[in-house]
Amino acid sequence: MLHSKASPMVSDVSALKSEHGNFFAVDRRAWSLVCDLKSISAAAAYLILARGSQGDMRTTSWSVNAIEDRTNIPRLRAKDAIKALLEGKVIEQRRGGTKPQYYLLPPAEIENRRTPVESLTADERLVLEVIASHPDGIEVPTGSRKKDPWPFGSPRSIVERLIRKGLVRSIGGSWSKVAATRLPATPDEADWIWLPNSIVEGVGEETSPIERIRQSQSLAALRLFVDLYHVQSLATDGGVHWRQLQQSFHRKQIGQRADFVVWAFWIDSLKAWGGQPFVNAHMTGQTEEVERADGTKGHRDTGWPIFWGALEVLTSTGLVEFVPHLVDSDTQEGTVLHPLAYREGEPLEQNLTVSARDAALSMLNPEQQDWVLARADTVRVVPVRKHIKDVQLVGLARLRHRAKTTATADWFKRMPEWSALADRYLDLIAGIEGERPAA
């Protein structure tokens, strides 16, 4: 569901960390459970402990001193933050004394420590797996045949036992339709979020990103900040995919020459799609009536203002920027043609945009050129082959601090492509100039 606001799977993490360096990782599901503690100090402390982790990404000897050195959290509150992590069962202390050591627990172990699960029979585990595979709930039959996914016999009696154990809940007032609350703890693969060390350490004399967000006292912003690193794909998309989160643009055809159509774009609004984990984390399940821009009434989850407020913290602190990219279609199957960034993005992306603008201007008559130049601060123009009828400009969310991973390196390798494309736009200008009669 769309909502708008106006205007590496790796098994040997220690080898990867040592090969590239300058980054660390937290487990996505464990991070969610940390945020459930509702303490921004505890969440910031958790990230700092993770930054000091060893090659397993879980064992850390960083403690109160590390938190005090990297934030403005005073010593007593740093101790309270670690205490909250311990009491919340997201970490465990493996060594005490003046040089303590902590272990960042896997998510399944966190859940099992918070609410221990009774041992299950084989039939109970099978029924629970069937129910868990249907997130919206499933009707439980009174009986079952061998070819059904349910165990042979009476699944409802097994479901009754699972309800008593707190692993299944009824839906809609009828216990015959049920959904799983959670699975018992089982060994699971970590779902790592790769984070640059600089979000904890800062760069040069700047205040670190973690501390800047902590100063805003927005736990939602800190959670979103980390979650966006999980969905950002620099090498493939140049940022977060635009069908998850985007800055949208108005589009207008302002000229045409030969095989090219000249398009103008200007900012419309921010949009986000519900159903994404980084969005769902802020939803409440409660709705409120709102008035749309056109004056009509509608309903939205009460969590949307929290999400947009969190994003505002990240953009206003310069930790996230929206970098416009030209795509051949604003759909899930669309692909990026190239960046179209003036003040955003990297220098080679900006140079490409200037070349595209100059090529577009060369294809326009004086009146059309005046229209563009009068709106130079807000309008971006580019010539596009006319067969690309659904071309659109979309702003991709991009995190300013980047981990030095293989994916980041692959993205930087594309920069020469933008330089070569800028040269092709300049060739277009030269060709057009050559067609014009001498004065």
Side-chain angles (χ1 to χ4, degrees):
M1 180 180 179
L2 170 66
H3 190 269
S4 63
K5 180 192 178 188
S7 214
M9 291 300 293
V10 178
S11 58
D12 186 359
V13 295
S14 60
L16 182 58
K17 189 173 183 180
S18 61
E19 180 183 354
H20 297 282
N22 297 304
F23 63 86
F24 64 102
V26 295
D27 185 283
R28 180 183 64 84
R29 289 161 295 173
W31 170 243
S32 175
L33 294 169
V34 169
C35 293
D36 287 345
L37 299 177
K38 307 299 183 186
S39 168
I40 192 169
S41 295
Y46 183 86
L47 294 173
I48 293 169
L49 296 185
R51 160 67 184 91
S53 65
Q54 300 172 11
D56 64 356
M57 305 290 188
R58 296 194 186 280
T59 305
T60 178
S61 295
W62 284 22
S63 187
V64 173
N65 288 343
I67 298 169
E68 194 176 19
D69 290 344
R70 290 163 177 81
T71 68
N72 288 330
I73 299 174
R75 189 169 189 83
L76 288 178
R77 290 186 183 174
K79 290 181 178 180
D80 288 342
I82 290 181
K83 182 180 178 182
L85 295 174
L86 290 166
E87 292 179 348
K89 297 179 173 60
V90 293
I91 66 173
E92 71 174 9
Q93 187 166 355
R94 293 194 164 177
R95 186 177 66 214
T98 57
K99 295 183 178 179
Q101 185 180 82
Y102 301 97
Y103 185 74
L104 313 184
L105 294 167
E109 190 168 347
I110 295 170
E111 289 188 330
N112 199 39
R113 290 186 181 204
R114 288 180 176 180
T115 309
V117 176
E118 299 178 39
S119 60
L120 301 179
T121 67
D123 283 349
E124 287 173 342
R125 182 172 291 277
L126 175 58
V127 168
L128 184 56
E129 289 174 353
V130 171
I131 296 171
S133 67
H134 295 77
D136 295 327
I138 183 173
E139 294 282 350
V140 183
T142 55
S144 177
R145 297 171 295 176
K146 289 184 178 180
K147 66 178 182 179
D148 292 339
W150 306 95
F152 182 73
S154 177
R156 287 194 178 185
S157 64
I158 299 173
V159 169
E160 286 177 339
R161 298 202 301 268
L162 293 174
I163 290 175
R164 288 195 297 269
K165 291 181 178 182
L167 296 174
V168 168
R169 60 183 174 86
S170 63
I171 294 178
S174 171
W175 79 266
S176 62
K177 185 173 184 180
V178 297
T181 55
R182 68 181 177 91
L183 285 170
T186 54
D188 53 1
E189 289 289 333
D191 187 7
W192 296 114
I193 305 176
W194 303 98
L195 302 166
N197 290 349
S198 60
I199 70 168
V200 170
E201 306 292 351
V203 176
E205 298 299 318
E206 74 165 11
T207 301
S208 74
I210 296 302
E211 174 59 12
R212 270 183 274 171
I213 299 172
R214 190 203 64 78
Q215 290 171 353
S216 77
Q217 288 297 295
S218 173
L219 176 59
L222 185 57
R223 182 172 193 167
L224 179 60
F225 179 60
V226 174
D227 286 347
L228 286 177
Y229 275 100
H230 189 257
V231 295
Q232 176 173 259
S233 177
L234 286 173
T236 303
D237 303 315
V240 177
H241 195 281
W242 64 93
R243 296 299 287 186
Q244 297 180 355
L245 175 64
Q246 74 164 246
Q247 184 181 65
S248 64
F249 284 77
H250 295 286
R251 183 183 81 154
K252 178 181 179 180
Q253 179 179 335
I254 59 171
Q256 183 171 345
R257 184 183 181 94
D259 194 35
F260 290 91
V261 172
V262 179
W263 294 99
F265 302 95
W266 61 97
I267 290 175
D268 179 9
S269 62
L270 292 177
K271 297 179 179 179
W273 277 256
Q276 305 301 324
F278 69 88
V279 173
N280 288 350
H282 306 276
M283 298 299 106
T284 66
Q286 305 295 317
T287 60
E288 61 183 358
E289 187 176 76
V290 294
E291 183 173 337
R292 301 188 182 100
D294 61 4
T296 61
K297 301 289 186 180
H299 291 83
R300 69 177 180 187
D301 190 286
T302 56
W304 277 112
I306 299 171
F307 172 82
W308 292 121
L311 184 62
E312 172 63 23
V313 171
L314 301 183
T315 55
S316 65
T317 53
L319 299 176
V320 171
E321 65 175 345
F322 283 88
V323 182
H325 283 66
L326 201 65
V327 296
D328 54 23
S329 172
D330 183 12
T331 66
Q332 193 65 40
E333 295 186 354
T335 57
V336 170
L337 299 175
H338 63 72
L340 203 66
Y342 281 142
R343 305 173 187 86
E344 320 87 353
E346 301 297 316
L348 285 178
E349 294 175 321
Q350 296 168 0
N351 291 342
L352 166 59
T353 303
V354 171
S355 297
R357 179 201 63 194
D358 291 347
L361 288 172
S362 71
M363 297 180 183
L364 301 176
N365 62 40
E367 182 179 351
Q368 293 166 335
Q369 290 175 352
D370 289 342
W371 185 91
V372 172
L373 295 175
R375 298 163 176 81
D377 290 338
T378 57
V379 169
R380 301 163 197 247
V381 291
V382 59
V384 180
R385 297 280 182 183
K386 63 183 179 181
H387 71 274
I388 310 177
K389 299 182 182 296
D390 295 328
V391 67
Q392 184 56 270
L393 192 65
V394 293
L396 304 186
R398 184 185 292 172
L399 292 141
R400 300 291 293 273
H401 288 251
R402 296 162 198 139
K404 295 183 179 179
T405 62
T406 301
T408 303
D410 289 343
W411 172 65
F412 271 111
K413 288 178 183 176
R414 296 200 65 185
M415 291 299 163
E417 294 181 30
W418 307 144
S419 182
L421 188 53
D423 290 341
R424 290 202 289 275
Y425 277 122
L426 295 178
D427 290 342
L428 280 176
I429 298 172
I432 292 170
E433 293 294 333
E435 294 173 3
R436 289 175 178 156

